[in-house]
Amino acid sequence: MDTSAPMTSPAASPGASTTDGRPQLKLNWTNTLFLTFAHLAAVAGVLWMIFGQFSWWTVGFAALWMGVCSMSITAGYHRLFSHRAYKASAWVRAFYLLFGAAGVQNSALLWSGDHRRHHSFTDTDKDPYDARRGFWWSHIGWVFFDGDRDGDDGRVNDLRSDKLVMFQHNYYVPLAFLMGAILPMCLGFAWGDPIGGLLVVGFVRLVFQWHMTFTINSLAHMVGTRPYNPNSTARDSWIIALVSWGEGYHSFHHRFQADYRNGHRWFHFDPTKWIVWTLSKLGATQDLRRTPSTKIAEARAAHTPS
Ligand SMILES: [Zn+2]
Ligand SMILES: [Zn+2]
């Protein structure tokens, strides 16, 4: 997934150019300080479990929070808001937006703007997480620098009509603190480990979740095969799918980005697809978009050496 940044979003600032022709980079202090702080807090969380207090309730709750928050990014921010691959009822959208905020990857509106830009300009200087610039840049490096997005340059105007999306956008920072730190800490009181709630459910979970998401911008463009476009860095890998809720079928996704599935075969490991499909059976999601299998076969055949 191509994913977005923490508190604010990046890329490269306009104005002066470097010797390689790219715009000069300007450090984003908010992102830099928060990323550093969150990683240190995650280390503190591990130390708390070893030397302070260990609770299976805290570990289980961190796993649960990891599940709902990361699914809110893959099913919500990515496939619903960025790609409009299906429709979802208001309560499903509200769930994605609340738990998506806990992922501290920006508001859904800005995340989608960056992500749509990634798809429009893959493997060019305008791609916010251009994989050609190497693993560290596409994984996390880009987050440390200011973007030249100017808001969203009109790419997400369709999302502005969604009141829930705009509410989350306007109150993103308090929602991120509430869902990502304060609520986990308060819930930790229930089993006598509020510090574990804050440090483990809040920050250890957050750092794991970030690197899971960042992997889709980095390794999903570096590891695997390219059956749908050998000229793009986007790749299919079942191993990356295992650690990214099914987002590792990235060659397919870049070719058919409006499809609600990333793993299009029934046996492809894509829990995000299974959840969206299950929700559709409950009436909570609708109009799931699928690419006809003949079209998929044609796309593969076009790049298979004869
Ligand atoms: Zn995408
Ligand atoms: Zn990508």
Side-chain angles (χ1 to χ4, degrees), residues 1-2 115 118-119 122 129 216-217 221 234 250 254:
M1 120 181 77
D2 315 79
H115 191 68
H118 167 66
H119 276 273
T122 308
Y129 16 92
I216 301 152
N217 296 335
H221 281 261
H250 210 55
H254 269 258

Side-chain angles (χ1 to χ4, degrees), residues 82-104:
S82 296
H83 291 298
R84 316 308 297 255
Y86 62 99
K87 294 193 175 82
S89 304
W91 70 268
V92 175
R93 301 203 309 280
F95 183 94
Y96 289 157
L97 292 163
L98 278 176
F99 286 95
V104 197

Side-chain angles (χ1 to χ4, degrees), residues 63-83:
L64 175 72
W65 222 244
M66 172 78 183
V68 292
C69 295
S70 52
M71 190 59 70
S72 295
I73 297 293
T74 59
Y77 274 39
H78 187 214
R79 301 192 198 183
L80 176 68
F81 296 119
S82 296
H83 291 298

Side-chain angles (χ1 to χ4, degrees), residues 2-76:
D2 315 79
T3 271
S4 257
M7 304 299 282
T8 64
S9 227
S13 65
S17 293
T18 55
T19 48
D20 60 7
R22 292 190 179 109
Q24 212 148 41
L25 297 172
K26 186 165 168 276
L27 199 65
N28 182 313
W29 281 103
T30 309
N31 283 4
T32 302
L33 291 174
F34 187 72
L35 276 163
T36 306
F37 169 77
H39 280 78
L40 291 174
V43 172
V46 174
L47 294 175
W48 172 254
M49 283 191 289
I50 297 171
F51 300 110
Q53 179 178 347
F54 181 86
S55 162
W56 280 111
W57 278 99
T58 301
V59 173
F61 196 65
L64 175 72
W65 222 244
M66 172 78 183
V68 292
C69 295
S70 52
M71 190 59 70
S72 295
I73 297 293
T74 59

Side-chain angles (χ1 to χ4, degrees), residues 14 18 63 120 195 219 298:
T18 55
S120 297
I195 295 175
L219 294 180
E298 278 168 23

Side-chain angles (χ1 to χ4, degrees), residues 31-298:
N31 283 4
T32 302
L33 291 174
F34 187 72
L35 276 163
T36 306
F37 169 77
H39 280 78
L40 291 174
V43 172
V46 174
L47 294 175
W48 172 254
M49 283 191 289
I50 297 171
F51 300 110
Q53 179 178 347
F54 181 86
S55 162
W56 280 111
W57 278 99
T58 301
V59 173
F61 196 65
L64 175 72
W65 222 244
M66 172 78 183
V68 292
C69 295
S70 52
M71 190 59 70
S72 295
I73 297 293
T74 59
Y77 274 39
H78 187 214
R79 301 192 198 183
L80 176 68
F81 296 119
S82 296
H83 291 298
R84 316 308 297 255
Y86 62 99
K87 294 193 175 82
S89 304
W91 70 268
V92 175
R93 301 203 309 280
F95 183 94
Y96 289 157
L97 292 163
L98 278 176
F99 286 95
V104 197
Q105 300 182 14
N106 224 333
S107 68
L109 187 79
L110 295 183
W111 196 104
S112 299
D114 279 340
H115 191 68
R116 289 179 185 182
R117 181 181 284 220
H118 167 66
H119 276 273
S120 297
F121 300 112
T122 308
D123 301 332
T124 74
D125 288 349
K126 289 184 177 176
D127 179 350
Y129 16 92
D130 181 7
R132 301 170 312 158
R133 300 178 72 173
F135 172 80
W136 284 110
W137 174 264
S138 57
H139 189 76
I140 196 171
W142 70 283
V143 183
F144 288 99
F145 298 96
D146 269 332
D148 61 354
R149 186 181 60 234
D150 288 328
D152 55 51
D153 62 11
R155 280 172 203 286
V156 287
N157 282 346
D158 56 306
L159 294 176
R160 290 183 180 280
S161 59
D162 186 328
K163 288 192 174 75
L164 292 172
V165 168
M166 293 314 294
F167 179 85
Q168 193 235 27
H169 178 68
N170 292 329
Y171 298 98
Y172 163 67
V173 172
L175 282 174
F177 274 109
L178 177 70
M179 298 301 294
I182 296 169
L183 186 57
M185 184 176 74
C186 291
L187 289 171
F189 277 107
W191 57 91
D193 188 18
I195 295 175
L198 176 66
L199 294 178
V200 180
V201 183
F203 289 99
V204 175
R205 181 271 317 165
L206 177 62
V207 166
F208 265 100
Q209 192 188 340
W210 272 347
H211 289 286
M212 182 195 114
T213 299
F214 295 162
T215 290
I216 301 152
N217 296 335
S218 56
L219 294 180
H221 281 261
M222 291 166 189
V223 176
T225 59
R226 294 185 278 187
Y228 297 98
N229 184 358
N231 299 316
S232 166
T233 55
R235 292 162 190 264
D236 277 8
S237 164
W238 63 268
I239 296 171
I240 304 297
L242 285 181
V243 297
S244 61
W245 290 100
E247 306 266 49
Y249 300 100
H250 210 55
S251 178
F252 176 85
H253 173 61
H254 269 258
R255 179 69 181 77
F256 299 110
Q257 55 181 283
D259 199 312
Y260 86 97
R261 310 160 300 177
N262 277 14
H264 69 95
R265 305 292 300 275
W266 66 269
F267 56 84
H268 285 164
F269 183 80
D270 187 354
T272 301
K273 160 187 81 176
W274 296 328
I275 283 187
V276 171
W277 182 86
T278 304
L279 287 172
S280 76
K281 296 300 163 196
L282 301 172
T285 60
Q286 307 87 28
D287 299 342
L288 279 50
R289 294 167 74 180
R290 289 182 188 81
T291 313
S293 48
T294 49
K295 228 175 150 184
I296 296 171
E298 278 168 23

